[in-house]
Each structure stands twice: as structure tokens, then as C-alpha cells.
């Protein structure tokens, strides 16, 4: 898409999204908006945004797999152990799911593997400074599902990976690594599961209801759970009601 000889010239307003300076102009004549993905080729022809995004996604998916930080180990400091304990995740469960500590990154490393057990991304959870979470890598087309409970036909959407670990003993769980849901994700899940349960953290209850209203038609049954505690903080009896 970008020639090797092309060099950056200037920023301009984007005609597509209206941003003041997100449109980059390059010496070969092509333009690209880092905000919305608007693209104009070197010959002056604009490219459909979705086509460009699909191309970029394909390139991202083809990148070499991520490596964990070299100093990763299973020696968790007190602040990490305390946080895991609040989520009722002991050291054995943490090790089972590949959680590690990196002193270099000053955080807990939460790896995500694809169906072939290849690392696709990892998340860093820090305790002493913000941002608390940082993602490295790209999920690409991979949808992380924790659990082996497809027989009950339900998938639970949660915000974070630890909540997914807790829920996965009782129902399949899909961590969103935040609070964003796409139609592509929901469509793919609907081909495997008849029921979906939106269970974001309490401060995202309105988003859960919005997602429910938008995507419930894809499933035989859809529900929203609103609780004062995050899923990872609840006891087994409460989580067992999911199944």
C-alpha cells in the first residue's frame, strides 16, 4: 500500500471524519487518516474505508507472533498475589493459565493463546501507576473462549481475563479486554451458542444493556447481569447459577 520511496509530507484535515490533522499526506501522493482509516491512493482515487481496514487487519494477523518479556517468571510479588486472591485465583490456577510476573514491565503478564496454543497477545496489569492495563499484540481473528462448557449453550461476556477465568468453571466465558463489542464477534458467537449473557463490571451496566438491545436478536436467549461486584469477586455458589 505504501511505497518504500514514499515519505511523510504533512498533516491535513480529514474529509471523512472531520478531524483537524489526522490525514497524513505522503510524497507519492497517497493520503491516510490515522483516525478513521480514510485512504486516497497515489493516483487520487479514494479507497472504501472497510476495504482498507480489512487489509490492515489481514496484515496485522500475518505479523510474527508475540513473545512474552524475557524475564517472565512465576515469582509473584505481594501486590499481584493480593489482587489474585481478591479474584479467588490461587497461585496454582494462575500458573495453569500462564500468568507470570515481569519485573522489567513492572506488572502481571496475562497471555492469550490461540487454538493452536500459539501466543497472539498479552496484557500487562500494573499496580503502582496508570494505565493499569496495557495490551501487546493483536487478537486478529481469534476469539478467546475460556471454559469447556459448550453443552449448556451459554457464553458469558466479561470485561477482563480474570473474570473469564472465574466464570469459565461454570460457563464458557469470553473476555473483551475492555467494554467493546463488535457485530462480527457477536455473529461468530451466535453460530456456536444459543444463549448469551452480558456481564460487564458494575460501572458499565448501561453498556451491557445497550449491547443486549443491539444483539439479542442473534441468540435464542439473551440476558444482562448487573452486580455490585465484578464476576471475578463473586463466590462459587453465585457463579454456579450461570449453568
Amino acid at each position: 500500500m505504501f511505497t518504500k520511496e514514499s515519505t511523510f509530507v504533512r498533516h491535513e484535515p480529514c474529509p471523512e471524519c472531520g478531524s483537524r490533522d489526522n490525514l497524513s499526506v505522503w510524497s507519492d501522493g497517497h493520503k491516510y487518516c490515522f483516525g478513521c482509516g480514510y485512504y486516497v491512493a497515489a493516483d487520487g482515487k479514494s479507497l472504501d474505508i472497510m476495504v482498507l481496514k480489512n487489509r490492515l487487519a489481514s496484515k496485522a494477523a500475518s505479523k510474527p507472533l508475540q513473545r512474552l518479556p524475557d524475564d517472565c517468571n512465576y515469582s509473584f510479588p505481594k501486590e499481584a498475589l493480593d489482587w489474585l486472591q481478591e479474584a479467588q485465583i490461587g497461585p496454582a490456577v494462575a500458573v495453569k493459565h500462564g500468568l507470570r510476573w515481569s519485573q522489567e514491565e513492572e506488572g502481571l503478564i496475562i497471555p492469550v493463546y490461540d487454538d493452536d496454543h500459539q501466543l497472539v497477545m498479552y496484557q500487562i496489569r500494573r499496580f503502582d501507576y496508570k494505565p493499569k492495563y496495557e495490551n501487546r499484540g493483536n487478537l486478529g481473528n481469534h476469539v478467546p473462549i475460556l471454559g469447556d462448557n459448550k453443552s449448556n449453550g451459554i457464553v458469558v461476556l466479561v470485561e477482563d481475563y480474570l473474570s473469564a477465568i472465574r466464570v469459565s468453571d461454570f460457563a464458557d466465558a469470553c473476555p473483551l479486554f475492555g467494554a467493546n463489542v463488535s457485530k462480527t464477534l457477536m455473529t461468530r458467537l451466535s453460530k456456536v451458542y444459543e444463549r448469551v449473557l452480558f456481564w460487564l463490571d458494575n460501572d458499565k451496566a448501561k453498556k451491557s444493556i445497550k449491547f443486549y438491545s443491539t444483539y439479542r436478536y442473534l441468540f435464542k436467549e439473551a440476558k444482562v447481569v448487573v452486580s455490585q461486584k465484578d464476576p471475578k469477586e463473586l463466590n462459587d455458589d453465585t457463579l454456579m447459577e450461570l449453568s
Side-chain angles (χ1 to χ4, degrees), residues 172-191:
D172 286 3
C174 178
L176 301 175
F177 299 100
N180 295 312
V181 174
S182 69
K183 184 176 181 179
T184 299
L185 171 63
M186 299 309 298
T187 301
R188 291 180 66 183
L189 290 175
S190 70
K191 296 182 183 301

Side-chain angles (χ1 to χ4, degrees), residues 188-206:
R188 291 180 66 183
L189 290 175
S190 70
K191 296 182 183 301
V192 180
Y193 301 94
E194 292 185 343
R195 300 186 290 160
V196 63
L197 194 154
F198 298 96
W199 194 352
L200 306 185
D201 296 350
N202 187 49
D203 61 342
K204 301 294 194 309
K206 289 184 179 179

Side-chain angles (χ1 to χ4, degrees), residues 16-33:
E16 183 67 32
C17 67
S19 66
R20 185 177 65 180
D21 59 1
N22 271 357
L23 188 71
S24 59
V25 181
W26 299 76
S27 59
D28 67 353
H30 84 265
K31 300 179 180 181
Y32 173 67
C33 177

